[in-house]
């Protein structure tokens, strides 16, 4: 039976990236060595990092005044690095709270600086993206979470920063590379790899050149962006295998026609799933229609007395795995990142229809 993995992350990867990972784990580029045992100082690995960086730049059309960094510590470490590096002493930043991940980012910012939560949808269990808020004119940046993995909301239009010296910062962990973006709208973009890019272990940071090396205060070496810019992400031993798999994913995306093509595919997959959720008498979406995510699609029973575990087992028996909603919201969640084939979504829809009539 064909298995489809709807996990929110670590998530399904393309067959081409997985096959290449299997080969490279055995032997990398006819070197007689596995990539897992290769020095990051070797010319093979240095050129792998250069290739990965060039592929990110080309897929996302990254302007020349931005740096690409391959870091460790997950998106969670960025929650602290961003305010440490980008807010002057006594300064502040604006945050929009759209879910558990932005709450965590806010908490970390509050440890090192003043934080203004200028918009929040917490009161309605984050089922929409707040759009009316007052920015603070002296805040260094505004932080958003572009796609909310747990609740299934996604920005369709990014807010503009009012402060002429300010900039937008986005946690794009769960929708990076799902569609084209205008990188110059942002001062900094970050994303853990393990949803739409590759395996866990590496975090992509795209940072505008003028934001590097501000050194407003003493920052531990590993937490200073300047360290990683100067050393081309090789200050310490980087996660080579994770970067390899990300680069294979980038090559796969290019072979499919790049991010405009991915956007079309992602829209098609999400639209048909949302259509079925609306049509099927058993299910409904808890999320405001205009903010529904193309990546993470939560849904619940219309009749709350029905048993979630029964539907999950029905799916599991048909090869549809990890559809349980996050423990904080319950119900179901289908994560349909780039690597989820359309036939996987079609199989889920057919299973929802079978469940309705069985
Ligand atoms: C939007 C978002 N931000 C941050 C994180 C945390 O990422 P990490 O585990 O890489 O620290 C996640 C993980 O699920 C996420 O979905």
């Amino acid at each position: 039976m064909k298995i489809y993995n709807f996990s929110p992350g670590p998530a399904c990867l393309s067959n081409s990236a997985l096959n290449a990972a299997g080969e490279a784990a055995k032997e990398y580029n006819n070197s007689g060595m596995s990539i897992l045992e290769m020095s990051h100082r070797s010319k093979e690995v240095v050129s792998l990092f250069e290739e990965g960086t060039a592929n990110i730049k080309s897929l996302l059309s990254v302007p020349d005044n931005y740096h690409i960094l391959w870091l460790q510590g997950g998106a969670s470490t960025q929650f602290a690095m961003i305010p440490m590096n980008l807010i002057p002493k006594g300064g502040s930043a604006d945050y929009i709270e759209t879910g558990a991940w932005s709450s965590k980012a806010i908490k970390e910012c509050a440890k090192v600086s003043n934080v203004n939560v200028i918009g929040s949808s917490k009161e309605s269990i984050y089922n929409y993206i707040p759009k009316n808020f007052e920015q603070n004119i002296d805040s260094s940046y505004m932080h958003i979470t572009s796609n909310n993995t747990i609740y299934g909301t996604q920005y369709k239009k990014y807010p503009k920063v009012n402060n002429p010296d300010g900039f937008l910062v986005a946690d794009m962990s769960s929708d990076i590379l799902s569609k084209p973006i205008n990188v110059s709208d942002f001062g900094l973009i970050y994303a853990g790899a393990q949803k739409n890019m590759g395996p866990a272990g590496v975090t992509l940071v795209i940072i505008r050149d003028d934001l590097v090396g501000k050194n407003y205060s003493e920052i531990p070496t590993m937490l200073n962006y300047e360290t990683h810019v100067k050393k081309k992400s090789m200050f310490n031993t980087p996660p080579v295998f994770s970067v390899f798999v990300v680069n294979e994913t980038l090559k796969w995306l290019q072979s499919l026609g790049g991010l405009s093509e991915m956007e079309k595919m992602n829209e098609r997959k999400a639209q048909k799933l949302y259509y079925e959720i609306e049509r099927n008498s058993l299910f409904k979406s808890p999320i405001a229609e205009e903010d529904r995510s193309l990546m993470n699609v939560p849904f619940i029973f219309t009749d709350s007395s029905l048993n979630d575990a029964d539907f999950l087992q029905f799916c599991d028996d048909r090869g549809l795995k990890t559809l349980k909603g996050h423990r904080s919201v319950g119900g179901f969640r289908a994560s349909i990142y780039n690597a989820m084939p359309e036939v996987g979504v079609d199989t889920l829809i057919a299973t929802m229809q079978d469940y309705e009539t069985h």
Side-chain angles (χ1 to χ4, degrees):
M1 180 172 44
K2 175 77 187 139
I3 300 294
Y4 294 105
N5 176 14
F6 289 92
S7 169
C12 61
L13 292 169
S14 68
N15 284 335
S16 75
L18 291 175
N19 289 337
E23 286 306 313
K26 281 186 262 167
E27 183 182 0
Y28 185 57
N29 271 359
N30 300 317
S31 62
M33 268 191 254
S34 163
I35 193 167
L36 296 168
E37 47 190 13
M38 272 188 170
S39 164
H40 55 296
R41 309 281 176 213
S42 64
K43 68 176 185 331
E44 287 90 346
V45 173
V46 169
S47 77
L48 164 66
F49 273 59
E50 285 168 357
E51 192 182 312
T53 298
N55 285 334
I56 282 284
K57 284 187 172 170
S58 122
L59 271 167
L60 285 168
S61 305
V62 180
D64 287 343
N65 60 327
Y66 285 76
H67 301 278
I68 306 295
L69 301 177
W70 305 99
L71 304 185
Q72 295 174 78
S76 301
T77 299
Q78 294 310 306
F79 297 163
M81 269 177 88
I82 289 163
M84 286 171 105
N85 282 265
L86 303 180
I87 307 179
K89 273 203 180 112
S92 68
D94 290 353
Y95 278 69
I96 315 275
E97 187 187 29
T98 50
W101 297 115
S102 40
S103 296
K104 287 187 178 168
I106 289 163
K107 231 186 208 166
E108 292 304 298
C109 182
K111 288 184 181 167
V112 298
S113 178
N114 301 308
V115 55
N116 314 308
V117 181
I118 58 169
S120 174
S121 48
K122 188 173 183 182
E123 84 293 344
S124 58
I125 324 178
Y126 303 114
N127 71 354
Y128 72 98
I129 303 265
K131 293 172 196 81
N132 296 318
F133 43 78
E134 287 283 322
Q135 297 180 39
N136 291 284
I137 197 66
D138 49 359
S139 275
S140 293
Y141 60 80
M142 181 182 358
H143 179 284
I144 60 166
T145 310
S146 61
N147 183 78
N148 295 283
T149 325
I150 296 174
Y151 307 91
T153 58
Q154 183 176 29
Y155 280 86
K156 302 294 152 81
K157 197 167 167 259
Y158 299 117
K160 288 250 174 304
V161 175
N162 291 341
N163 176 0
D165 298 324
F167 51 91
L168 192 58
V169 171
D171 175 359
M172 292 199 182
S173 292
S174 51
D175 68 352
I176 187 106
L177 301 172
S178 66
K179 59 182 177 182
I181 50 166
N182 190 7
V183 171
S184 55
D185 289 344
F186 301 87
L188 187 148
I189 293 169
Y190 64 103
Q194 67 273 16
K195 292 153 203 309
N196 216 17
M197 271 195 298
V202 66
T203 308
L204 173 70
V205 172
I206 305 175
I207 181 169
R208 211 174 61 203
D209 186 48
D210 60 295
L211 302 176
V212 177
K214 294 271 189 208
N215 293 318
Y216 293 123
S217 55
E218 195 67 42
I219 304 171
T221 310
M222 273 296 284
L223 301 181
N224 191 333
Y225 290 119
E226 193 178 25
T227 305
H228 303 289
V229 169
K230 279 190 173 156
K231 296 289 182 184
K232 297 191 159 62
S233 306
M234 296 228 186
F235 173 75
N236 73 322
T237 315
V240 172
F241 194 55
S242 297
V243 172
F244 172 81
V245 183
V246 169
N247 189 42
E248 290 303 313
T249 303
L250 302 178
K251 288 177 0 196
W252 170 73
L253 291 173
Q254 273 157 346
S255 75
L256 292 177
L259 301 189
S260 306
E261 281 310 305
M262 284 324 299
E263 182 176 34
K264 281 185 218 153
M265 289 183 220
N266 287 327
E267 275 174 357
R268 204 168 57 232
K269 285 188 293 180
Q271 263 166 21
K272 55 166 85 169
L273 183 51
Y274 282 117
Y275 180 83
E276 175 60 20
I277 292 167
E278 296 296 319
R279 187 215 60 78
N280 194 309
S281 59
L282 294 180
F283 302 107
K284 66 178 181 184
S285 165
I287 302 304
E289 199 171 339
E290 71 275 14
D291 297 328
R292 288 179 186 170
S293 168
L294 302 190
M295 299 279 98
N296 309 97
V297 181
F299 52 103
I300 52 178
F301 279 134
T302 40
D303 175 354
S304 59
S305 69
L306 293 178
N307 181 0
D308 286 1
D310 187 68
F311 176 64
L312 290 169
Q313 189 59 53
F314 192 82
C315 290
D316 203 79
D317 293 345
R318 287 154 184 79
L320 307 177
K321 305 285 177 183
T322 25
L323 278 161
K324 194 173 190 308
H326 190 266
R327 59 192 176 281
S328 60
V329 284
F332 317 106
R333 170 178 46 168
S335 295
I336 51 172
Y337 301 116
N338 289 345
M340 172 56 67
E342 190 161 348
V343 57
V345 176
D346 292 339
T347 310
L348 172 59
I349 290 169
T351 303
M352 292 162 79
Q353 291 168 350
D354 287 351
Y355 196 72
E356 189 183 26
T357 52
H358 85 300

PDB file of all heavy atoms in Angstrom, residues 165-183:
ATOM      1  N   ASP A 165      12.982  53.549   9.054  1.00  0.00           N
ATOM      2  CA  ASP A 165      14.220  52.797   9.340  1.00  0.00           C
ATOM      3  C   ASP A 165      13.918  51.360   9.762  1.00  0.00           C
ATOM      4  O   ASP A 165      14.835  50.594  10.065  1.00  0.00           O
ATOM      5  CB  ASP A 165      15.004  53.464  10.484  1.00  0.00           C
ATOM      6  CG  ASP A 165      15.426  54.868  10.109  1.00  0.00           C
ATOM      7  OD1 ASP A 165      15.754  55.069   8.926  1.00  0.00           O
ATOM      8  OD2 ASP A 165      15.391  55.757  10.992  1.00  0.00           O
ATOM      9  N   GLY A 166      12.655  51.024   9.851  1.00  0.00           N
ATOM     10  CA  GLY A 166      12.271  49.687  10.316  1.00  0.00           C
ATOM     11  C   GLY A 166      12.212  48.690   9.164  1.00  0.00           C
ATOM     12  O   GLY A 166      12.402  49.046   8.000  1.00  0.00           O
ATOM     13  N   PHE A 167      11.970  47.447   9.498  1.00  0.00           N
ATOM     14  CA  PHE A 167      11.915  46.402   8.476  1.00  0.00           C
ATOM     15  C   PHE A 167      11.065  45.239   8.978  1.00  0.00           C
ATOM     16  O   PHE A 167      10.747  45.148  10.175  1.00  0.00           O
ATOM     17  CB  PHE A 167      13.332  45.930   8.095  1.00  0.00           C
ATOM     18  CG  PHE A 167      14.178  45.569   9.280  1.00  0.00           C
ATOM     19  CD1 PHE A 167      14.201  44.270   9.779  1.00  0.00           C
ATOM     20  CD2 PHE A 167      14.948  46.530   9.934  1.00  0.00           C
ATOM     21  CE1 PHE A 167      14.961  43.932  10.888  1.00  0.00           C
ATOM     22  CE2 PHE A 167      15.717  46.206  11.055  1.00  0.00           C
ATOM     23  CZ  PHE A 167      15.718  44.905  11.521  1.00  0.00           C
ATOM     24  N   LEU A 168      10.695  44.389   8.035  1.00  0.00           N
ATOM     25  CA  LEU A 168       9.847  43.247   8.362  1.00  0.00           C
ATOM     26  C   LEU A 168      10.733  42.012   8.584  1.00  0.00           C
ATOM     27  O   LEU A 168      11.685  41.788   7.824  1.00  0.00           O
ATOM     28  CB  LEU A 168       8.884  43.017   7.198  1.00  0.00           C
ATOM     29  CG  LEU A 168       7.709  42.069   7.383  1.00  0.00           C
ATOM     30  CD1 LEU A 168       6.805  42.508   8.534  1.00  0.00           C
ATOM     31  CD2 LEU A 168       6.884  41.994   6.077  1.00  0.00           C
ATOM     32  N   VAL A 169      10.412  41.230   9.620  1.00  0.00           N
ATOM     33  CA  VAL A 169      11.098  39.963   9.889  1.00  0.00           C
ATOM     34  C   VAL A 169      10.049  38.861   9.822  1.00  0.00           C
ATOM     35  O   VAL A 169       8.964  39.013  10.383  1.00  0.00           O
ATOM     36  CB  VAL A 169      11.730  39.982  11.306  1.00  0.00           C
ATOM     37  CG1 VAL A 169      12.259  38.604  11.693  1.00  0.00           C
ATOM     38  CG2 VAL A 169      12.841  41.012  11.375  1.00  0.00           C
ATOM     39  N   ALA A 170      10.349  37.779   9.115  1.00  0.00           N
ATOM     40  CA  ALA A 170       9.340  36.721   8.996  1.00  0.00           C
ATOM     41  C   ALA A 170       9.908  35.355   9.322  1.00  0.00           C
ATOM     42  O   ALA A 170      10.962  34.956   8.812  1.00  0.00           O
ATOM     43  CB  ALA A 170       8.743  36.705   7.599  1.00  0.00           C
ATOM     44  N   ASP A 171       9.161  34.640  10.182  1.00  0.00           N
ATOM     45  CA  ASP A 171       9.395  33.207  10.389  1.00  0.00           C
ATOM     46  C   ASP A 171       8.632  32.495   9.275  1.00  0.00           C
ATOM     47  O   ASP A 171       7.404  32.454   9.291  1.00  0.00           O
ATOM     48  CB  ASP A 171       8.865  32.811  11.776  1.00  0.00           C
ATOM     49  CG  ASP A 171       8.948  31.300  12.024  1.00  0.00           C
ATOM     50  OD1 ASP A 171       9.388  30.556  11.130  1.00  0.00           O
ATOM     51  OD2 ASP A 171       8.556  30.869  13.135  1.00  0.00           O
ATOM     52  N   MET A 172       9.365  31.972   8.297  1.00  0.00           N
ATOM     53  CA  MET A 172       8.726  31.289   7.165  1.00  0.00           C
ATOM     54  C   MET A 172       8.945  29.777   7.238  1.00  0.00           C
ATOM     55  O   MET A 172       8.984  29.090   6.206  1.00  0.00           O
ATOM     56  CB  MET A 172       9.270  31.825   5.832  1.00  0.00           C
ATOM     57  CG  MET A 172       8.875  33.244   5.546  1.00  0.00           C
ATOM     58  SD  MET A 172       9.055  33.657   3.800  1.00  0.00           S
ATOM     59  CE  MET A 172       8.565  35.377   3.822  1.00  0.00           C
ATOM     60  N   SER A 173       9.095  29.264   8.471  1.00  0.00           N
ATOM     61  CA  SER A 173       9.439  27.849   8.629  1.00  0.00           C
ATOM     62  C   SER A 173       8.502  26.922   7.861  1.00  0.00           C
ATOM     63  O   SER A 173       8.933  25.899   7.348  1.00  0.00           O
ATOM     64  CB  SER A 173       9.412  27.453  10.108  1.00  0.00           C
ATOM     65  OG  SER A 173      10.448  28.087  10.795  1.00  0.00           O
ATOM     66  N   SER A 174       7.213  27.264   7.814  1.00  0.00           N
ATOM     67  CA  SER A 174       6.311  26.280   7.210  1.00  0.00           C
ATOM     68  C   SER A 174       5.710  26.708   5.875  1.00  0.00           C
ATOM     69  O   SER A 174       4.798  26.043   5.391  1.00  0.00           O
ATOM     70  CB  SER A 174       5.217  25.862   8.204  1.00  0.00           C
ATOM     71  OG  SER A 174       4.579  26.975   8.756  1.00  0.00           O
ATOM     72  N   ASP A 175       6.246  27.795   5.261  1.00  0.00           N
ATOM     73  CA  ASP A 175       5.821  28.019   3.861  1.00  0.00           C
ATOM     74  C   ASP A 175       6.921  28.542   2.948  1.00  0.00           C
ATOM     75  O   ASP A 175       6.647  28.908   1.801  1.00  0.00           O
ATOM     76  CB  ASP A 175       4.540  28.872   3.766  1.00  0.00           C
ATOM     77  CG  ASP A 175       4.727  30.315   4.199  1.00  0.00           C
ATOM     78  OD1 ASP A 175       5.800  30.660   4.727  1.00  0.00           O
ATOM     79  OD2 ASP A 175       3.779  31.094   3.998  1.00  0.00           O
ATOM     80  N   ILE A 176       8.166  28.518   3.442  1.00  0.00           N
ATOM     81  CA  ILE A 176       9.272  28.924   2.570  1.00  0.00           C
ATOM     82  C   ILE A 176       9.293  28.020   1.333  1.00  0.00           C
ATOM     83  O   ILE A 176       9.003  26.836   1.434  1.00  0.00           O
ATOM     84  CB  ILE A 176      10.615  28.855   3.332  1.00  0.00           C
ATOM     85  CG1 ILE A 176      11.756  29.447   2.494  1.00  0.00           C
ATOM     86  CG2 ILE A 176      11.015  27.423   3.712  1.00  0.00           C
ATOM     87  CD1 ILE A 176      12.221  30.768   2.956  1.00  0.00           C
ATOM     88  N   LEU A 177       9.577  28.586   0.198  1.00  0.00           N
ATOM     89  CA  LEU A 177       9.711  27.850  -1.081  1.00  0.00           C
ATOM     90  C   LEU A 177       8.381  27.284  -1.594  1.00  0.00           C
ATOM     91  O   LEU A 177       8.380  26.470  -2.519  1.00  0.00           O
ATOM     92  CB  LEU A 177      10.741  26.711  -0.970  1.00  0.00           C
ATOM     93  CG  LEU A 177      12.169  27.103  -0.581  1.00  0.00           C
ATOM     94  CD1 LEU A 177      13.008  25.855  -0.312  1.00  0.00           C
ATOM     95  CD2 LEU A 177      12.830  27.942  -1.659  1.00  0.00           C
ATOM     96  N   SER A 178       7.256  27.703  -0.987  1.00  0.00           N
ATOM     97  CA  SER A 178       5.968  27.202  -1.482  1.00  0.00           C
ATOM     98  C   SER A 178       5.414  28.110  -2.573  1.00  0.00           C
ATOM     99  O   SER A 178       4.464  27.753  -3.255  1.00  0.00           O
ATOM    100  CB  SER A 178       4.955  27.106  -0.344  1.00  0.00           C
ATOM    101  OG  SER A 178       4.649  28.400   0.143  1.00  0.00           O
ATOM    102  N   LYS A 179       6.014  29.301  -2.722  1.00  0.00           N
ATOM    103  CA  LYS A 179       5.539  30.297  -3.691  1.00  0.00           C
ATOM    104  C   LYS A 179       6.630  31.358  -3.826  1.00  0.00           C
ATOM    105  O   LYS A 179       7.486  31.476  -2.936  1.00  0.00           O
ATOM    106  CB  LYS A 179       4.242  30.933  -3.188  1.00  0.00           C
ATOM    107  CG  LYS A 179       4.414  31.604  -1.844  1.00  0.00           C
ATOM    108  CD  LYS A 179       3.131  32.197  -1.307  1.00  0.00           C
ATOM    109  CE  LYS A 179       3.397  32.788   0.068  1.00  0.00           C
ATOM    110  NZ  LYS A 179       2.252  33.351   0.717  1.00  0.00           N
ATOM    111  N   PRO A 180       6.587  32.156  -4.894  1.00  0.00           N
ATOM    112  CA  PRO A 180       7.588  33.226  -4.993  1.00  0.00           C
ATOM    113  C   PRO A 180       7.305  34.284  -3.920  1.00  0.00           C
ATOM    114  O   PRO A 180       6.154  34.494  -3.540  1.00  0.00           O
ATOM    115  CB  PRO A 180       7.336  33.825  -6.391  1.00  0.00           C
ATOM    116  CG  PRO A 180       6.450  32.869  -7.098  1.00  0.00           C
ATOM    117  CD  PRO A 180       5.692  32.108  -6.058  1.00  0.00           C
ATOM    118  N   ILE A 181       8.356  34.926  -3.423  1.00  0.00           N
ATOM    119  CA  ILE A 181       8.180  36.069  -2.501  1.00  0.00           C
ATOM    120  C   ILE A 181       9.121  37.170  -2.969  1.00  0.00           C
ATOM    121  O   ILE A 181      10.065  36.903  -3.720  1.00  0.00           O
ATOM    122  CB  ILE A 181       8.521  35.707  -1.032  1.00  0.00           C
ATOM    123  CG1 ILE A 181       9.891  35.021  -0.942  1.00  0.00           C
ATOM    124  CG2 ILE A 181       7.429  34.873  -0.388  1.00  0.00           C
ATOM    125  CD1 ILE A 181      10.438  34.943   0.471  1.00  0.00           C
ATOM    126  N   ASN A 182       8.841  38.378  -2.497  1.00  0.00           N
ATOM    127  CA  ASN A 182       9.714  39.500  -2.811  1.00  0.00           C
ATOM    128  C   ASN A 182      10.639  39.700  -1.614  1.00  0.00           C
ATOM    129  O   ASN A 182      10.263  40.331  -0.624  1.00  0.00           O
ATOM    130  CB  ASN A 182       8.828  40.731  -3.079  1.00  0.00           C
ATOM    131  CG  ASN A 182       9.641  41.858  -3.652  1.00  0.00           C
ATOM    132  OD1 ASN A 182      10.826  41.695  -3.969  1.00  0.00           O
ATOM    133  ND2 ASN A 182       9.029  43.012  -3.756  1.00  0.00           N
ATOM    134  N   VAL A 183      11.835  39.136  -1.709  1.00  0.00           N
ATOM    135  CA  VAL A 183      12.751  39.135  -0.548  1.00  0.00           C
ATOM    136  C   VAL A 183      13.036  40.558  -0.073  1.00  0.00           C
ATOM    137  O   VAL A 183      13.180  40.803   1.130  1.00  0.00           O
ATOM    138  CB  VAL A 183      14.052  38.368  -0.895  1.00  0.00           C
ATOM    139  CG1 VAL A 183      15.108  38.535   0.189  1.00  0.00           C
ATOM    140  CG2 VAL A 183      13.742  36.894  -1.116  1.00  0.00           C
TER     141      VAL A 183
END
